[in-house]
Amino acid sequence: MGRYVVTGSASGMGAAVAEALRTAGHTVIGIDRDTADVTADLSTEEGRRAAIDAILEKSGGELAGAVFAAGLGPARDRERVIVEVNMAGVTDLLEALRPALAASEKAKVVVFGSNSTTATPFVPARAVRALLRGDRERATAILRRRGPMLSGPAAYAASKIAVTRWCRVHGTAPEWAGEGIRINVIAPGPVMTPLLKSQLDGPSAKNVRSFPVPVREYGTPDQLAQWVMLMLSPAADFMCGTVVTVDGGTEALLRGRDWPRAVPLHTVPRVLWQMYRAPKKGQVAQY
Ligand code: NAI
């Protein structure tokens, strides 16, 4: 039985994952703003530092895995706090917990992204790049220029695109995959949690309700928790840098013609460079 960190453990999908892990006999270190093993505000640097210190103390220096479910949905005038929680609330913690994860033989990390990453229009690419550089102030300024109607959804999607890309780029590097840590992302569509309920009751309810879901129902926290449990299990030993979309078909409906897609010409040099450099750096086993 292992020791797992779950952020956002007090509500919705994080709570469902924490319960599933505890039911399976694992130890959970739950992090949330309240009603958690560790109460911390992941929107501030001090809060993230406090969470990291408490986790390291409780973990005894070894973690079997971590699930990052804490997150804020799209909301007007909340751009800065959205990017703080959804991006830095994952990456700051992951960087600090890396040695504890590497201490396990095959640690698993699951990060909650969103199918908004592929379904939201008008997300400024410059904001995503700023987030990946760690410049959240600049990202927020760019996002606010989208105006009051679009800046909330754009901030949400930008934060989820950036965190997903971070997981795919860093997760496959020697310090992570090379140390046995498997980082994967789950991208839900609308799942009936307090986050979705607040959107259905809020000013953008009409837009949320008109979001097309081909299977004609919302997901449940338990369904998503089962996918996460699989992504934490030995079945995921051979899974790394993958985005698992569980969204009732929305992403395929909206973007089904966009991928899979052949490697575009301008990325061929990078792909070839990665391909031939990898074995030399010991990223893949030699047989
Ligand atoms: P939820 O609102 O039920 O739970 C999120 C948890 O994060 C709450 O317990 C909240 O207190 C915690 N949290 C928020 N800000 C925090 C902070 N500053 N410090 C510490 N904890 C904080 O949300 P839900 O729906 O379970 O979402 C889980 C994840 O899934 C989120 O990252 C969300 O963006 C993502 N997601 C949710 C979808 C949905 O339809 N429910 C769709 C796609 C992605």
Side-chain angles (χ1 to χ4, degrees):
M1 292 299 115
R3 205 173 275 127
Y4 291 84
V5 169
V6 179
T7 73
S9 61
S11 173
M13 293 183 266
V17 171
E19 193 189 323
L21 281 167
R22 287 195 176 109
T23 304
H26 299 292
T27 303
V28 174
I29 307 170
I31 321 288
D32 213 302
R33 283 177 294 200
D34 48 47
T35 337
D37 305 297
V38 174
T39 54
D41 181 357
L42 298 176
S43 71
T44 66
E45 263 186 62
E46 309 80 70
R48 294 191 286 271
R49 189 68 252 166
I52 290 162
D53 291 345
I55 295 165
L56 290 176
E57 197 198 311
K58 286 180 189 291
S59 72
E62 185 173 337
L63 288 167
V67 177
F68 293 88
L72 293 171
R76 204 179 275 192
D77 298 327
R78 303 266 289 156
E79 299 84 4
R80 182 64 193 255
V81 75
I82 290 170
V83 300
E84 290 289 338
V85 178
N86 294 3
M87 179 74 186
V90 178
T91 54
D92 282 8
L93 265 65
L94 263 178
E95 271 166 355
L97 300 180
R98 198 179 64 80
L101 290 161
S104 275
E105 204 192 334
K106 292 180 179 180
K108 310 281 183 339
V109 173
V110 179
V111 172
F112 274 81
S114 169
N115 77 344
S116 305
T117 52
T118 44
T120 308
F122 309 119
V123 181
R126 283 186 309 136
V128 175
R129 286 198 295 273
L131 288 175
L132 284 164
R133 286 196 309 272
D135 192 346
R136 292 183 291 282
E137 195 173 330
R138 173 98 189 108
T140 306
I142 296 167
L143 288 161
R144 286 199 177 125
R145 279 187 226 138
R146 278 285 181 261
M149 291 302 286
L150 292 177
S151 63
Y156 180 72
S159 69
K160 293 293 188 180
I161 292 171
V163 79
T164 300
R165 220 178 268 175
W166 191 98
C167 290
R168 283 164 60 75
V169 171
H170 291 261
T172 45
E175 313 87 70
W176 296 92
E179 294 280 332
I181 305 164
R182 278 79 168 155
I183 304 183
N184 293 291
V185 175
I186 188 152
V191 176
M192 198 38 92
T193 66
L195 187 153
L196 180 61
K197 278 183 199 134
S198 70
Q199 289 184 299
L200 290 168
D201 295 339
S204 49
K206 217 173 132 202
N207 294 342
V208 180
R209 279 181 209 284
S210 63
F211 198 62
V213 183
V215 300
R216 292 165 186 270
E217 61 188 37
Y218 291 143
T220 68
D222 285 343
Q223 287 167 342
L224 273 292
Q226 286 180 47
W227 281 99
V228 172
M229 289 301 280
L230 196 63
M231 293 166 79
L232 296 174
S233 78
D237 282 359
F238 195 47
M239 191 182 189
C240 176
T242 299
V243 181
V244 177
T245 302
V246 183
D247 73 343
T250 305
E251 186 268 339
L253 174 77
L254 301 179
R255 304 298 302 276
R257 288 174 180 78
D258 293 334
W259 51 76
R261 172 164 291 214
V263 178
L265 265 185
H266 71 277
T267 27
V268 168
R270 175 162 52 78
V271 170
L272 289 178
W273 188 78
Q274 290 281 6
M275 218 179 259
Y276 292 108
R277 152 191 173 268
K280 286 183 211 123
K281 291 266 186 187
Q283 277 189 344
V284 294
Q286 306 281 303
Y287 294 105

